[in-house]
């Protein structure tokens, strides 16, 4: 019986490793959206202040591979960021990507509609190389929205 359990465990570990290798540790759109939904539920349960601390913890519940939660006020100020804590407290309304798109304003415009996807370029958290990114954003209330994006 132990041998069978050990074999099953080994197969599960191998399968997980193959899946991770196939995706290169990259999150999917479905995972990003699910992480945002979990983060929204966390805010409802624990409040924004506690949630923003947890979202900004690089080893916390809301960082997985290259996925992380960010929170931005509708005034353009980052309130939480799971990958780059230096952004917290900074107004990024005028931040532009390589294509001179106003990234934060695009995210805000999408979040004002309630929720949705927005495409832009942003530095990858591990490589720091500018990459295409699609972020799913969700309005929390009249002051803030949260999001999570996938790199392409």
């Amino acid at each position: 019986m132990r041998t069978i359990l050990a074999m099953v465990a080994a197969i599960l570990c191998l399968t997980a490793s193959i899946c991770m290798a196939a995706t290169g540790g990259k999150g999917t759109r479905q995972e990003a959206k699910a992480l945002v939904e979990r983060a929204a539920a966390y805010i409802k349960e624990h409040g924004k202040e506690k949630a923003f601390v947890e979202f900004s913890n690089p080893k916390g519940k809301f960082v997985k591979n290259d996925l992380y939660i960010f929170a931005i006020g509708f005034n353009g100020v980052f309130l939480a960021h799971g990958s780059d804590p230096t952004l917290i407290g900074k107004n990024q309304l005028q931040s532009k990507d390589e294509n001179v798109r106003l990234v934060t304003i695009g995210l805000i415009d999408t979040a004002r509609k309630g929720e949705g996807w927005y495409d832009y370029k942003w530095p990858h958290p591990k490589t720091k190389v500018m990459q295409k990114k699609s972020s799913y954003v969700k309005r929390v209330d009249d002051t803030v929205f949260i999001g999570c994006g996938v790199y392409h």
Side-chain angles (χ1 to χ4, degrees):
M1 184 65 164
R2 285 186 183 178
T3 305
I4 292 172
L5 288 175
M7 287 175 52
V8 169
I11 290 170
L12 289 174
C13 287
L14 180 61
T15 302
S17 297
I18 290 169
C19 288
M20 280 296 284
T23 62
K26 286 187 167 191
T28 66
R29 288 172 70 94
Q30 295 82 6
E31 290 172 320
K33 186 173 181 181
L35 197 59
V36 169
E37 297 300 338
R38 272 190 38 227
Y42 193 87
I43 289 172
K44 284 183 182 177
E45 184 177 342
H46 300 283
K48 289 189 282 189
E49 188 174 323
K50 184 174 181 180
F52 295 163
V53 170
E54 183 60 33
F55 299 164
S56 298
N57 177 358
K59 299 198 184 303
K61 304 173 190 176
F62 295 94
V63 176
K64 179 184 174 193
N65 296 323
D66 64 349
L67 298 178
Y68 55 86
I69 291 292
F70 56 84
I72 305 174
F74 282 107
N75 62 357
V77 176
F78 272 79
L79 304 168
H81 199 285
S83 172
D84 186 357
T86 65
L87 290 173
I88 299 170
K90 292 187 179 172
N91 188 312
Q92 294 292 307
L93 276 179
Q94 298 305 313
S95 67
K96 297 175 184 173
D97 69 7
E98 289 178 338
N99 299 324
V100 196
R101 292 185 72 187
L102 291 167
V103 173
T104 305
I105 290 176
L107 292 167
I108 288 171
D109 289 345
T110 304
R112 284 197 193 282
K113 297 172 189 166
E115 60 189 278
W117 290 93
Y118 182 71
D119 298 326
Y120 56 101
K121 289 192 173 185
W122 195 259
H124 189 279
K126 300 200 186 317
T127 66
K128 307 302 182 209
V129 173
M130 194 67 80
Q131 290 187 350
K132 291 181 182 177
K133 185 175 183 180
S134 297
S135 283
Y136 179 76
V137 294
K138 182 178 183 92
R139 181 185 188 136
V140 172
D141 59 26
D142 290 341
T143 64
V144 67
F145 66 95
I146 56 176
C148 179
V150 295
Y151 291 88
H152 307 284

